[in-house]
Amino acid sequence: MTISIEKPMFEEVSAFQKKSENNTGDIRMANEHDEAFLAPEMNAFGRQFRDYDAESERQKGVEEFYRLQHINQTVDFVKKMRAEYGKLDKMVMSIWECCELLNEVVDESDPDLDEPQIQHLLQSAEAIRKDYPNEDWLHLTALIHDLGKVITLPQFGGLPQWATVGDTFPVGCAFDESNVHHKYFLENPDFHNQAYNTKSGIYTEECGLNNVMMSWGHDDYMYLVVKENGSTLPSAGQFIIRYHSFYPLHTAGEYTHLMNEEDKENLKWLHVFNKYDLYSKSKVHVDIEKVKPYYMSLIRKYFPENLRW
């Protein structure tokens, strides 16, 4: 089922939002009578969220970003990036140090955000913390989900924006039309490769997303950092980090034929997370020093002091 990209399916998501995880695997908010986070109608620029058709200079830049991304994200490129960045030999630092470093990054693919990156992370985390106070792993996941964007900085190799940010999608199979600016895939060499241009391509149905190569960017890089540094973050948290930019799946409902049962369970939490990730972008800043002690305690709980990046 395809869903309009600027109008996520709130009825389906709200079913998840009114639940909190218990022994049956349900997801439930702490108190349904609490004042929950409400999604705004417009972004910081006074336009609909994820509106890729609005006429503006920023939108033109976003479209050019996706043109380059869709042309260059191939199976061979993804294999090369995973091999290079999987070494985790760029730097050793803590999670919080990376949060501060992220402020040097500007996301050219985002039509909704022009605030410092750490503010988006904290806005997302604090909104989730209010509605799901007992899910501390989800608070921390929100804080760190975009840290992989540092790969665009010189000390991390200075990857271009199209190899760092933006919506993600599988490579090695057909590019679904739910991908924004799909027309630019026509210039991707994999588009014409018969091994890659069928619905499942090199994969089999229900193979599990863990066996699917995704377009390279900050999501997959941060997932590698989390996994290889021995984080105890739950499977659902790692799933959110790896697939939060996979809008063709979690918003448009495509590529589900590649999912296994574990993916389907984790997708419930990604649906919860997505509302806070997308709609918490605002001009109201979080007091960093006030909330820092809480997030430092979560970092110590789920991560080693220093990580390889």
Side-chain angles (χ1 to χ4, degrees), residues 59-70:
Q59 295 294 350
K60 291 176 183 177
V62 170
E63 180 166 353
E64 174 61 13
F65 162 87
Y66 276 108
R67 186 186 73 83
L68 293 172
Q69 186 207 47
H70 290 356

Side-chain angles (χ1 to χ4, degrees), residues 22 38 49 100 177 229 234 247 254 276 285:
N22 57 31
L38 297 177
F49 285 88
E100 296 177 332
E177 291 188 0
N229 280 283
Y247 278 84
E254 305 298 338
Y276 300 90
H285 283 197

Side-chain angles (χ1 to χ4, degrees), residues 66-83:
Y66 276 108
R67 186 186 73 83
L68 293 172
Q69 186 207 47
H70 290 356
I71 292 172
N72 290 293
Q73 289 277 2
T74 64
V75 169
D76 288 345
F77 175 76
V78 170
K79 287 180 177 178
K80 179 181 178 182
M81 290 297 99
R82 284 186 64 84

Side-chain angles (χ1 to χ4, degrees), residues 21 135-146 219 222-223 226-227 231-244 262 265-270 273 302-303:
E21 190 172 23
E135 313 295 344
D136 65 356
W137 63 270
L138 191 57
H139 313 162
L140 181 58
T141 297
L143 178 72
I144 70 174
H145 75 279
D146 273 347
D219 306 59
M222 190 60 197
Y223 167 74
V226 171
K227 178 184 176 183
S231 170
T232 57
L233 205 63
S235 172
Q238 297 188 33
F239 186 92
I240 289 170
I241 289 169
R242 195 174 194 183
Y243 302 112
H244 68 271
E262 183 179 8
E265 287 301 309
N266 286 334
L267 183 60
K268 296 176 184 179
W269 280 109
L270 179 51
F273 171 82
Y302 289 103
F303 283 93

Side-chain angles (χ1 to χ4, degrees), residues 168-224:
T168 58
F169 47 85
V171 297
C173 61
F175 302 115
D176 189 84
E177 291 188 0
S178 61
N179 287 289
V180 296
H181 297 303
H182 179 271
K183 60 187 177 183
Y184 294 120
F185 283 119
L186 291 171
E187 299 178 59
N188 184 309
D190 287 359
F191 186 90
H192 306 283
N193 187 324
Q194 292 184 356
Y196 302 149
N197 63 13
T198 61
K199 184 176 181 179
S200 294
I202 60 176
Y203 311 112
T204 57
E205 291 196 9
E206 300 181 354
C207 63
L209 294 180
N210 194 49
N211 295 307
V212 174
M213 285 185 290
M214 299 294 295
S215 56
W216 176 254
H218 73 281
D219 306 59
D220 217 20
Y221 173 64
M222 190 60 197
Y223 167 74
L224 291 175

